[in-house]
Amino acid sequence: MFYLDFLAETHRRLKPSAYLEIGVDVGHSLALADCPSIGVDPDFRIEAELDQRVALFRTLSDEYFDRPDPLAPTGGIPFELSFIDGLHLFEFALRDLIVAERHSAARGVVILDDVLPRTVDESSRERHTVAWTGDVFRVVEALSRYRPELVLLPLDTSPTGLLMVLGLDPTSTVLVDHYDEIMAELRRPDPQEVPVEILDRTSVISPERLLQAGVLEALSELPSQSTHAEVSEVIPQLVAARLGPGFVASAA
Ligand SMILES: C[S@@+](CC[C@H](N)C(=O)[O-])C[C@H]1O[C@@H](n2cnc3c(N)ncnc32)[C@H](O)[C@@H]1O
């Protein structure tokens, strides 16, 4: 399934009250939003028709989230869906995930693009290919090691895979507290050593299976004010029951 088709289904089934997109470009993915939304990109060139409730910011994601009230454009509604597709370098993608989670509802969903490079060349930090994932795939390992309570669902979408992150904790400071350590441990110079399981897509979920399992509809039925403690009781069991225990660390 093409990533935009999966994102369209995600919007339709989750019905988020607020949406964040980091990395907008011409607006193909942002055009799927049907709620108060924030799009951040220093170099967007909109060609798609956007909902009137979309607020666009021509700036870097780090700068946008330095402002005192990043949720002002949504009227204070925390993000229930975020799509991270900005600069394809490990440290940028990790920081984007940190700020997205901080301003999300606990029942919210964060989706990262480009976690499944198809070749080592495509995963280089120094871009030299047309299609480029950079080393964003390293975010998956960072989250598995430092945030094992999160539910991580790698999705076999074309062209370069998505990672769906559930069970968010907007109060967590673990990734910020360990940021330097994570970079020292996991960031590597080119050429990248991409695990063969990533190149072969051996531990991924088919997007069709995730959609058929009704996980997004079940998330949309959780109370919007649910706390992290409440969702962390429900989401791992929900995912294990519908997709099997393999994607939930606490059930493994
Ligand atoms: C792959 S494109 C986004 C495509 C879009 N999400 C879609 O699917 O149609 C990546 C975008 O990220 C933007 N970008 C690069 N660095 C960024 C940063 N630090 N913060 C936000 N956006 C960034 C680029 O300007 C580019 O438009």
Side-chain angles (χ1 to χ4, degrees):
M1 182 182 279
F2 187 50
Y3 81 107
L4 286 175
D5 295 329
F6 179 78
L7 290 177
E9 279 301 315
T10 301
H11 278 278
R12 202 169 67 75
R13 292 162 191 248
L14 197 62
K15 299 185 182 62
S17 302
Y19 173 68
L20 167 68
E21 184 162 300
I22 296 178
V24 171
D25 197 24
V26 296
H28 287 149
S29 46
L30 191 53
L32 302 170
D34 182 23
C35 61
S37 301
I38 296 173
V40 183
D41 190 318
D43 193 26
F44 63 78
R45 297 158 288 123
I46 300 301
E47 292 172 6
E49 190 174 334
L50 303 180
D51 188 280
Q52 288 189 340
R53 292 162 293 176
V54 171
L56 279 166
F57 295 89
R58 190 177 289 285
T59 183
L60 303 167
S61 49
D62 285 334
E63 282 174 12
Y64 181 78
F65 283 96
D66 263 352
R67 58 176 63 197
D69 188 4
L71 288 181
T74 67
I77 305 170
F79 305 122
E80 292 186 343
L81 179 62
S82 299
F83 182 45
I84 295 175
D85 191 17
L87 190 55
H88 297 172
L89 292 175
F90 173 35
E91 61 274 31
F92 283 79
L94 185 66
R95 291 201 299 272
D96 289 347
L97 179 128
I98 289 170
V99 290
E101 182 183 31
R102 186 181 300 153
H103 297 288
S104 286
R107 70 165 187 175
V109 174
V110 176
I111 299 179
L112 265 91
D113 199 13
D114 301 304
V115 296
L116 299 175
R118 295 160 296 181
T119 63
V120 168
D121 277 336
E122 202 168 67
S123 73
S124 291
R125 290 177 58 81
E126 198 69 49
R127 181 175 189 166
H128 61 269
T129 52
V130 177
W132 181 55
T133 63
D135 58 349
V136 172
F137 70 94
R138 298 206 183 270
V139 173
V140 186
E141 191 173 354
L143 296 180
S144 310
R145 280 206 212 172
Y146 285 85
R147 298 287 307 282
E149 78 281 13
L150 291 172
V151 173
L152 305 178
L153 304 175
L155 295 166
D156 187 13
T157 47
S158 65
T160 49
L162 297 170
L163 178 73
M164 181 175 279
V165 184
L166 307 178
L168 306 178
D169 181 358
T171 66
S172 175
T173 60
V174 172
L175 296 171
V176 171
D177 295 345
H178 295 271
Y179 181 81
D180 292 343
E181 182 185 322
I182 294 170
M183 288 303 141
E185 223 174 288
L186 298 178
R187 186 168 49 181
R188 290 284 171 272
D190 292 333
Q192 299 299 313
E193 283 179 24
V194 186
V196 72
E197 308 81 62
I198 290 183
L199 294 172
D200 289 351
R201 299 195 175 196
T202 38
S203 297
V204 296
I205 304 173
S206 91
E208 290 84 358
R209 183 173 157 221
L210 182 104
L211 293 172
Q212 280 160 12
V215 171
L216 297 169
E217 288 86 343
L219 287 175
S220 76
E221 283 165 15
L222 296 175
S224 59
Q225 305 293 331
S226 302
T227 63
H228 170 68
E230 289 163 346
V231 303
S232 63
E233 289 279 305
V234 177
I235 291 178
Q237 282 95 326
L238 171 80
V239 169
R242 297 188 186 215
L243 295 171
F247 299 99
V248 180
S250 57

